[in-house]
Amino acid sequence: MHSDAGGQPHDPDLMAAVTELGLALRELVDASVRSTVPAVQLRAAAADARTVTARLAAAQRPVTQLPELDDPAVFRRVHNPVTGVGSALAPPLDIRREDGGLVAEVTLGPAYEGPPGFVHGGVSSLLMDQLLGSSVLAAGLWGMTVRLELGYHRPVPLVTPLVLRGRVVASRGRRTTATGTIALAADPERPLVDARGEWVTPRPESVADYFGAITDVSGQYAPPGRR
């Protein structure tokens, strides 16, 4: 068994397999949006994809049960749509601590396109929500997003290395404020997008209301929160 820093032990072989599948799925998504093969080949690929879907659907967890590899207390979420190594949707974003906050580098392909040649504005919002929320957690706090404001200064280009930064700038009671930016990795001090958000730690009765049905793989109650 293996354990992340502060996290619950997990099966390293299962983690490797989930990571491998996630990578293969992201490669498939990228190939599908770039492909120019004729219709007959697209239909054959769709049939192959449905065969794989049937194989994976042979055993499934209920939506109220966390994946076996997840540990919400350290925000290890293997199918998170931003950071999940097993997600077909995630880049995935690999976040690390740096200079009192968090930083991540990413290059977004055509699967994340909005205006031709540029990242969809909603994807920028998704990334900032995740990074700023992770900044709150990294500061030893926890909360749910109650406000997120973005300033879109310049379009974010596709297939271009980007750097994302986030940090907590204020905390009082149950409320925490975090800010962040998206910039070109080659020009990190010139934000393309900036963000500011507020996170509020739910009261215990709200945690029970929101997450009362959530369990881990053993059936134990597993709400998010600080360890």
Side-chain angles (χ1 to χ4, degrees), residues 50-125:
R50 292 189 181 101
T51 298
V52 174
T53 298
R55 180 183 301 172
L56 294 174
Q60 293 186 300
R61 61 184 173 85
V63 295
T64 54
Q65 178 184 301
L66 295 175
E68 181 177 342
L69 295 169
D70 275 17
D71 184 354
V74 295
F75 221 81
R76 185 175 71 230
R77 305 297 309 282
V78 294
H79 300 298
N80 179 284
V82 180
T83 61
V85 294
S87 172
L89 306 177
L93 210 61
D94 184 15
I95 301 172
R96 66 181 187 278
R97 295 176 186 264
E98 186 176 290
D99 298 332
L102 298 182
V103 64
E105 288 91 15
V106 70
T107 299
L108 300 171
Y112 303 98
E113 188 173 49
F118 295 99
V119 175
H120 193 293
V123 172
S124 295
S125 179

Side-chain angles (χ1 to χ4, degrees), residues 29-195:
V29 170
D30 186 69
S32 72
V33 299
R34 294 174 182 256
S35 181
T36 59
V37 301
V40 64
Q41 292 189 39
L42 292 175
R43 292 191 176 97
D48 290 341
R50 292 189 181 101
T51 298
V52 174
T53 298
R55 180 183 301 172
L56 294 174
Q60 293 186 300
R61 61 184 173 85
V63 295
T64 54
Q65 178 184 301
L66 295 175
E68 181 177 342
L69 295 169
D70 275 17
D71 184 354
V74 295
F75 221 81
R76 185 175 71 230
R77 305 297 309 282
V78 294
H79 300 298
N80 179 284
V82 180
T83 61
V85 294
S87 172
L89 306 177
L93 210 61
D94 184 15
I95 301 172
R96 66 181 187 278
R97 295 176 186 264
E98 186 176 290
D99 298 332
L102 298 182
V103 64
E105 288 91 15
V106 70
T107 299
L108 300 171
Y112 303 98
E113 188 173 49
F118 295 99
V119 175
H120 193 293
V123 172
S124 295
S125 179
L126 178 68
L127 297 179
M128 285 285 92
D129 188 17
Q130 180 69 46
L131 186 64
L132 271 58
S134 296
S135 299
V136 172
L137 187 72
L141 306 165
W142 177 70
M144 298 177 69
T145 312
V146 296
R147 183 184 301 275
L148 183 64
E149 299 175 346
L150 271 72
Y152 295 88
H153 304 291
R154 301 171 188 83
V156 179
L158 294 173
V159 200
T160 304
L162 305 170
V163 61
L164 289 70
R165 298 185 184 280
R167 67 177 58 243
V168 168
V169 295
S171 181
R172 181 177 180 182
R174 295 187 298 116
R175 187 173 296 267
T176 304
T177 302
T179 62
T181 58
I182 301 174
L184 299 177
D187 191 8
E189 302 307 318
R190 188 185 187 202
L192 305 175
V193 176
D194 60 36

